[in-house]
Amino acid sequence: MSTELLNVDLHCHSTISDGVLTPAEVAARAKANGVDVWALTDHDEIRGIPPARSAALDLGLQYVTGVEISITWAGKTIHIVGLNIDEKNENLIRGLAETRSGRERRALEMAAGLAKAGIPNAFQGALTYVGNPDLISRSHFARYLVEIGVCDTVNEVFKRYLIEGKPGYVPHRWATLAEAVKWIQGAGGEAVVAHPGRYELSPVAFDAFFNEFKSYGGSAIEVVTGSHTVDQYAEYTKIASRYGFLGSRGSDFHGPDDAVVDLGQLPPLSSTLTPVWSKWM
């Protein structure tokens, strides 16, 4: 089958980070939804790769190793996906461990802010949703606030409580862009900007970011993703072409109740772009 015709999903999460399904369960859902090529890309963590690979092999699903690395750039949190990485690379392992450190302290500060807003015990509540205590995140707090009826949806929680300027928001200093790309390339992988349409950057800032990313060897951006609108598919197709980036495709699936778009249910990349998976297929 031509690489352009494959159903490829290269961005999703499991209980190893902030998803609600185990790596094996995510693999099964991908297969059931017609995915041909699949990557699990948990946040700053690669422990899900062995069970994900094993499950994919059993299902006859082509598997690509992956991770999503949190970085800080110009005071903003941005995510860089690493694809087709060697998960045994020591520099990558060390860098991800450093990136994960500090999450508990940040979570306690988030809980304190929520308590001041009249929502007590949010840290303990969020922990009930955490599969990996090293990776407690805003998504875990959001699920707890939905559970106790503060909001109806996870998206509503983020808008009211967990984004910049709201009571539960606490910034965190992540890796740098240069570090993330270096770790990914050092592990033999391709660096991809995750869901660029989510970041509140001016056109001038975006231009600086994309040029810096490219100067470090970054090769692709997510064009078709569950975090983009239909209009943004076209917008980022043009942007990828303008900067000479490969295109990537991924649902950013976290769980059935959180999904804007389910695994494998996205439209294809534009035929005008070269897909990132053509690098290894």
Side-chain angles (χ1 to χ4, degrees):
M1 182 184 294
S2 169
T3 57
E4 290 81 7
L5 299 178
L6 292 170
N7 187 345
V8 179
D9 198 313
L10 300 178
H11 186 166
C12 62
H13 301 275
S14 75
T15 50
I16 299 299
S17 64
D18 59 346
V20 301
L21 304 179
T22 66
E25 289 170 336
V26 181
R29 192 176 187 92
K31 180 67 174 181
N33 286 2
V35 173
D36 299 305
V37 183
W38 170 64
L40 180 70
T41 55
D42 278 315
H43 291 285
D44 306 312
E45 179 61 271
I46 51 180
R47 289 192 301 112
I49 288 177
R53 180 190 287 117
S54 178
L57 181 64
D58 290 343
L59 292 165
L61 180 61
Q62 186 164 340
Y63 181 68
V64 178
T65 50
V67 67
E68 185 174 14
I69 302 177
S70 307
I71 71 160
T72 300
W73 188 86
K76 301 286 187 180
T77 297
I78 292 175
H79 294 157
I80 305 296
V81 168
L83 296 173
N84 204 34
I85 55 170
D86 172 11
E87 77 273 19
K88 297 179 181 179
N89 180 272
E90 291 184 3
N91 286 334
L92 175 66
I93 292 169
R94 189 181 307 113
L96 293 177
E98 292 172 357
T99 300
R100 292 193 300 271
S101 67
R103 278 185 180 263
E104 182 178 17
R105 182 181 66 252
R106 177 189 183 226
L108 288 168
E109 292 179 16
M110 290 167 61
L114 291 170
K116 290 179 181 178
I119 306 171
N121 305 315
F123 179 76
Q124 291 82 358
L127 280 177
T128 64
Y129 288 89
V130 175
N132 180 354
D134 289 342
L135 288 173
I136 187 168
S137 72
R138 290 185 299 168
S139 294
H140 300 121
F141 281 91
R143 291 179 190 131
Y144 173 66
L145 266 59
V146 170
E147 177 195 332
I148 62 175
V150 172
C151 296
D152 292 329
T153 67
V154 165
N155 285 339
E156 184 185 353
V157 175
F158 270 83
K159 290 177 182 177
R160 289 178 56 185
Y161 293 99
L162 299 178
I163 60 174
E164 189 170 358
K166 301 302 180 180
Y169 177 78
V170 177
H172 183 79
R173 180 72 189 180
W174 306 109
T176 67
L177 177 60
E179 288 170 334
V181 176
K182 182 178 179 180
W183 297 337
I184 292 166
Q185 289 190 318
E190 300 293 328
V192 183
V193 179
H195 40 60
R198 275 179 45 178
Y199 309 124
E200 295 182 0
L201 295 172
S202 69
V204 171
F206 257 129
D207 182 62
F209 173 77
F210 285 138
N211 280 310
E212 186 177 339
F213 176 67
K214 190 172 183 178
S215 74
Y216 296 139
S219 59
I221 63 172
E222 284 184 352
V223 173
V224 178
T225 166
S227 299
H228 283 178
T229 64
V230 173
D231 288 344
Q232 286 176 321
Y233 298 160
E235 177 185 356
Y236 285 96
T237 294
K238 293 177 182 177
I239 288 172
S241 296
R242 184 187 313 155
Y243 289 91
F245 289 134
L246 304 172
S248 193
R249 178 181 189 263
S251 58
D252 196 11
F253 176 84
H254 286 72
D257 295 332
D258 297 349
V260 176
V261 177
D262 207 340
L263 276 158
Q265 302 302 299
L266 290 164
L269 280 177
S270 168
S271 60
T272 63
L273 294 179
T274 300
V276 67
W277 54 91
S278 68
K279 296 278 284 190
W280 59 81
M281 293 182 62

